[in-house]
């Protein structure tokens, strides 16, 4: 597949660059905030930033159709946007679950009314979403989930049960919840994909979970008769809808995500050069290896985005980037040497610990091979669906 930037892409780049420069200037202090392990930073400013992105029409560039307040951009323009976004160190996105996971799912499985109801507020940066899949007894084995929903006297679905590891539930206005709607059903049968408003005091309780970074990016969420506003894909079809969404989660970010990875790698290389650590041949070897692996990921992304039919593509992409980002986190600290294990010089025993950007990257990246489906699960998918190996006993 040919991949290069044409005149139209460069015009698009000028527009994106000018817009970002002007708007980042209007939000001093927001640049570089909210990256991996720093999701707590500048919460109010970053919510406002989502609306600003929306007002510029920059949310939903990758949706397969426009008309929701988004502009539709080509693949190369999406890469241009990601490059420019990373170049000005614009903040980590609060809206990515709605924009990159729910929206493509609604475009694939939602009704016209649902698309018209839910996509415009996502494109305006007004409504944030979270993902209610995992439960205490259902992570890798999602089909064993127990959260259920039943119709009340008014015909509305009411959800009860517990979700866990729900990223950004404390910020979200909505949650898409996978729940059992057919009593007595088993495994992936009888599930529905429900859209649930989060503002239901007494029916939804969000409890933050503290992570290794000392911050709380994810939560436990308890539902007690919470009302669902919609079912996507029809009652009982939740598994098909939910799996389609996971494909977006594992594969979709690809090229745009790699732009961010390249920036992170550049920072580690700069650190290594500045400190002289790069003279260590083992470290130099690892830096080059990461650089080369990033190129491999790029070609893999281009291959699959070029339309090649490949059932294993999302799993291969997830395996590649999860492990790569984790090794980057490890290397970021190795480059620092022993100092990487220390806190800031003014830290006093008993005070909450403060981590710098590289320490947070390292700690957060431990999760990269877990969320969105662990490495072991990706390998099982490839084994069974691509290589045709015998199915795992359940
Ligand atoms: C940072 C972060 C954010 C997250 N955000 C969300 C979110 O927003 N919404 C949401 O719903 N979930 C979220 N998750 C949850 C995530 O999807 C689960 O952690 C993941 O699916 C694994 O499930 P589990 O934690 O229950 O581990 P388990 O399923 O209990 O697995 C434990 C270990 O056993 C291995 N294992 C399990 N089954 C098999 C098998 N059959 N074969 C081989 N090995 C196996 C796993 O690979 C893993 O190493 C998040 C997780 C993290 C870390």
């Amino acid at each position: 597949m040919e991949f290069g930037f044409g005149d139209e892409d460069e015009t698009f780049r000028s527009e994106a660059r000018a817009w970002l420069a002007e708007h980042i200037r209007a939000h001093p202090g927001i640049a570089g905030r909210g990256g991996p392990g720093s999701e707590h930073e500048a919460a109010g400013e970053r919510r406002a930033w989502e609306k600003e992105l929306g007002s510029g029409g920059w949310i939903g560039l990758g949706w397969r159709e426009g008309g929701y307040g988004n502009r539709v951009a080509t693949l190369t323009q999406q890469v241009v946007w990601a490059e420019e976004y990373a170049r000005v160190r614009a903040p980590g996105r609060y809206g990515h679950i709605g924009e990159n996971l729910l929206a493509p799912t609604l475009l694939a499985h939602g009704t016209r009314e649902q698309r018209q109801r839910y996509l415009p507020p996502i494109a305006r940066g007004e409504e944030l979403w979270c993902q209610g899949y995992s439960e205490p007894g259902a992570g890798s084995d999602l089909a064993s989930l127990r959260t259920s929903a039943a119709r009340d006297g008014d015909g509305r679905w009411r959800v009860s049960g517990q979700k866990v590891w729900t990223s950004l539930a404390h910020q979200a206005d909505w949650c898409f919840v996978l729940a059992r709607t057919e009593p007595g059903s088993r495994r992936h049968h009888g599930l529905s994909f429900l859209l649930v408003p989060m503002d239901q005091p007494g029916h939804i309780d969000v409890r933050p979970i503290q992570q290794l970074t000392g911050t709380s990016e994810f939560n436990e969420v308890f539902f007690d008769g919470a009302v669902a506003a919609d079912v996507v894909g029809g009652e009982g079809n939740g598994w098909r809808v939910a799996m389609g969404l996971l494909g977006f989660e594992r594969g979709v970010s690809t090229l745009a995500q790699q732009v961010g990875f390249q920036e992170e790698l550049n920072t580690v290389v700069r650190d290594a050069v500045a400190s002289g650590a790069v003279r260590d041949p083992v470290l130099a070897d690892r830096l080059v290896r990461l650089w080369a692996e990033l190129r491999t990921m790029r070609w893999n992304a281009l291959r699959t985005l070029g339309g090649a039919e490949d059932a294993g593509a999302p799993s291969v992409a997830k395996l590649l980037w999860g492990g790569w980002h984790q090794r980057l986190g490890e290397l970021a600290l190795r480059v620092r040497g022993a100092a990487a294990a220390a806190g800031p010089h003014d830290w006093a025993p008993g005070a909450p610990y403060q981590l710098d950007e590289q320490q947070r990257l390292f700690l957060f990246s431990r999760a990269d091979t877990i969320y969105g489906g662990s490495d072991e699960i990706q390998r099982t998918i490839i084994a069974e669906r691509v290589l045709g190996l015998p199915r795992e006993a359940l």
Side-chain angles (χ1 to χ4, degrees):
M1 179 195 181
E2 285 301 316
F3 188 83
F5 299 118
D7 290 346
E8 280 179 22
D9 300 326
E10 293 308 334
T11 307
F12 180 88
R13 184 186 297 282
S14 306
E15 192 192 343
R17 185 174 291 185
W19 190 92
L20 281 165
E22 180 191 336
H23 290 260
I24 283 282
R25 247 199 320 274
H27 291 265
I30 202 175
R33 311 296 290 279
S38 310
E39 289 76 8
H40 60 295
E41 286 180 343
E45 291 95 321
R46 283 168 55 218
R47 275 206 80 132
W49 175 250
E50 289 292 326
K51 291 187 186 154
E52 205 143 325
L53 286 173
S55 70
W58 299 108
I59 298 177
L61 298 181
W63 297 353
R64 73 174 189 207
E65 58 188 60
Y68 303 102
N70 60 317
R71 64 178 95 191
V72 177
T74 63
L75 185 59
T76 46
Q77 288 168 350
Q78 291 169 50
V79 175
V80 165
W81 170 253
E83 283 180 353
E84 294 302 318
Y85 198 89
R87 208 178 56 82
V88 292
R89 303 185 70 237
R93 294 283 314 280
Y94 270 146
H96 73 96
I97 297 176
E99 180 186 8
N100 298 323
L101 302 187
L102 182 72
T105 304
L106 286 177
L107 288 167
H109 300 282
T111 62
R112 193 163 163 270
E113 290 70 33
Q114 287 171 343
R115 295 199 290 271
Q116 281 172 347
R117 160 62 188 88
Y118 297 105
L119 296 185
I122 293 176
R124 288 195 298 271
E126 284 172 7
E127 291 185 351
L128 305 184
W129 286 80
C130 62
Q131 175 180 20
Y133 279 18
S134 304
E135 299 184 5
S140 303
D141 185 17
L142 186 59
S144 62
L145 66 81
R146 299 170 65 163
T147 292
S148 62
R151 289 208 191 263
D152 66 12
D154 300 323
R156 296 177 304 181
W157 287 109
R158 289 205 170 252
V159 181
S160 294
Q162 185 197 342
K163 296 292 176 180
V164 72
W165 320 126
T166 319
S167 299
L168 302 178
H170 56 295
Q171 292 284 350
D173 306 290
W174 288 85
C175 185
F176 47 89
V177 175
L178 192 59
R180 198 162 291 287
T181 45
E182 193 185 312
S185 60
R186 287 201 66 249
R187 307 293 303 160
H188 51 277
H189 301 287
L191 302 173
S192 296
F193 189 99
L194 303 169
L195 307 183
V196 180
M198 291 296 281
D199 188 15
Q200 300 194 49
H203 297 289
I204 299 184
D205 184 16
V206 177
R207 299 184 198 162
I209 301 172
Q210 193 174 7
Q211 289 163 252
L212 272 177
T213 46
T215 58
S216 297
E217 178 259 354
F218 55 34
N219 306 268
E220 295 177 291
V221 183
F222 296 84
F223 297 91
D224 184 8
V227 174
D230 252 310
V231 181
V232 179
E235 191 181 324
N237 292 325
W239 188 254
R240 194 166 68 92
V241 179
M243 289 304 107
L245 182 141
L246 280 183
F248 295 123
E249 182 170 16
R250 288 166 188 166
V252 83
S253 13
T254 52
L255 289 166
Q257 178 195 49
Q258 288 164 24
V259 175
F261 284 177
Q262 183 68 59
E263 290 293 314
E264 289 177 337
L265 177 59
N266 291 348
T267 305
V268 176
V269 171
R270 273 196 298 272
D271 271 6
V273 172
S275 69
V278 76
R279 284 194 293 275
D280 175 341
V282 175
L283 278 185
D285 182 78
R286 289 194 186 170
L287 285 169
V288 174
R289 191 175 285 265
L290 281 180
W291 180 88
E293 286 172 355
L294 195 51
R295 289 294 172 284
T296 311
M297 282 196 270
R298 182 176 172 80
W299 289 115
N300 187 58
L302 289 171
R303 185 177 64 86
T304 50
L305 290 170
E309 198 55 40
D310 184 348
S315 296
V316 171
K318 173 80 215 301
L319 274 175
L320 288 175
W321 72 252
W324 185 91
H325 201 233
Q326 205 163 75
R327 289 194 296 284
L328 178 73
E330 287 159 11
L331 198 56
L333 293 202
R334 269 196 100 92
V335 159
R336 295 269 189 85
H345 65 276
D346 54 354
W347 180 79
Y353 58 86
Q354 298 279 331
L355 300 167
D356 64 31
E357 204 178 327
Q358 303 299 64
Q359 289 168 326
R360 280 195 296 260
L361 167 66
F362 166 72
L363 290 173
F364 189 84
S365 68
R366 310 318 299 162
D368 286 324
T369 51
I370 301 173
Y371 67 83
S374 69
D375 275 14
E376 289 79 5
I377 296 307
Q378 306 310 329
R379 290 196 188 97
T380 299
I381 291 172
I382 294 169
E384 294 179 359
R385 295 191 205 155
V386 182
L387 301 178
L389 300 182
R391 291 187 76 78
E392 183 177 74
L394 285 176

